Amino acid sequence: MAPPQLTLDVLCVGAGFAGIFELYHLRSLGYSVKVFEAAEDIGGVWWHNCYPGARVDSIVPVYEFSDEKVWAEWSWSEKYPDWKELRRYFQHVDEKLDIRKDIVFNRRVTSAKWYADEDKWLVTSQDGSVVSARFFILCVGNNSKIYIPDIPGLDRFRGSCHHTARWPQAGLDLQNKRVAVIGTGASGVQVVQDVGPRAAQLTVYQRTPNIAFPMRQKSIDEETSKKMKVEVYNMVYRRRRQTLGGHAYDLYPKNSCDATAEERLLFYEDMWNTIGGIQLVAASYKDIRLNQKANDELYHFWRSKVLERVRSPRLQETLAPQVPPHPVGAKRPSLEVSYFETFNLPNVDLVDLTQNPIVGVTSNGILTNDGREREFDVIVLATGFDAMSGGITQIDIEGTDGISIFDKWTKSVRTYLGMMTANFPNMFFIYGPGAPTALSNGPTCIEVQGEWINTCIKNMMDKGFTRIEPLPEAEEEWQKSIFESMSGGLYDAPTSVFLGRNIPGKVSEPQIYVGGIPKYTEMCWKKIHNGYEGFSRTALK
């Protein structure tokens, strides 16, 4: 390995919410910090996700930094901002926090190795540069490694083919084009409802029906924004740390079985018509993810609403089957505006892959098991991500025992507090496996974890510690905590991201902690208050 060209206190990978938070706060503590970002600009997922219809599923101001220096002079135009507005927001963040000067763009980190003689990481990038850093923080998020299924012939297609998270930055003209969308997760839903009305032909290939809830989008004028900043912003940022999912709302403090049938129906009707969003699960009866009967009732309420919007009996059953494909909330709910109505358009068709799987891709289109070849100009791969761990394991990081993070986590994804893993000293990760992550609001979880990590680093620097790593037994205890948080819950979906089941060959096990932000925060800080319980800390001799 070449000698380091730069020596840092902290190197962060990724310039999204987490990388920006860490850079700003660690730099303010006086440390030398850099962020390496593979993309051309800041924004993380919102740099890559510029596909048609892309927008966030958390409301603002919940989905933003809580720092008043940032939000005081920023106003949103919509309750659920789209990717363009989110990019403008990140430019505003840079203007206020002056972060860009310490970010190196177009630099993809490819490998890292612990140098025990100096208690530092040697980190190599794709351009051959080598950097030495005391602390190595992976801010790559949970959706940075795209997943493309092994579809025979995909490379033979003569038209345009793009994964939603690798959409051309210049855009792609889909007007009057023949378009295929493979996948009906969150990005698939957004592409379908956006492209359907303007494509010559849109064919959607569905594996699992999406239990998507209405978004209930709303414009925000300047007067309303100013009023919110005075009356609710600071309260929202305090409140989001008090709720299970890090939002401004929480589960309704009543079990469904303690309400009458009439009360439940009126409750759901009100939620559906006035609020919508993921609140239909996250602000529902407190046993909605614990009680199968209650969960089934919510599903059939949702189904009744979908049937009213889809005209074809065949499509009704395919999009909203009588038997639930999985419990409501076993996957993070997607939000939609006109997704189901899109299937009433004469130019839109749906292929049920459970009945008619894809055989392969031809030079002109897609061949299915029924022998039919449908021709397309564009194929959209809305096929998701190797979530939680994939963004980390795609980097060749070697532990102190010579085993890579990929090999370690291939057997089982083990972490301690969802921020570190044994045999990888001084390496932290944010919004990844073992934390609330996908079942929480991103900025909330990121700020909770970032504050903990920064406190840990400052304590080490102040007291002369040069190395910290979790004990293997502490890692095992945390794994039990993750399993216990999911035990008894309705999370068993055949293709669950929460369980790693969306990736063939990946170990099926709980990937996230679902005990909620408040309990998670308390447990993490308790370890520090108990003298960094579960960690080994040493000073370089």
Side-chain angles (χ1 to χ4, degrees), residues 408-429:
K408 177 182 178 178
W409 281 359
T410 294
K411 298 175 182 177
S412 179
V413 180
R414 292 286 202 272
T415 78
Y416 188 41
L417 307 179
M419 289 185 278
M420 297 193 79
T421 188
N423 298 323
F424 293 83
N426 294 17
M427 186 181 86
F428 302 91
F429 38 90

Side-chain angles (χ1 to χ4, degrees), residues 184-186 189 206 208-213 302 319 326 333-334 339-340:
T184 54
V189 166
Q206 172 188 283
T208 306
N210 193 316
I211 307 175
F213 294 136
W302 169 84
L319 291 166
H326 54 75
S334 300
Y339 176 67
F340 296 105

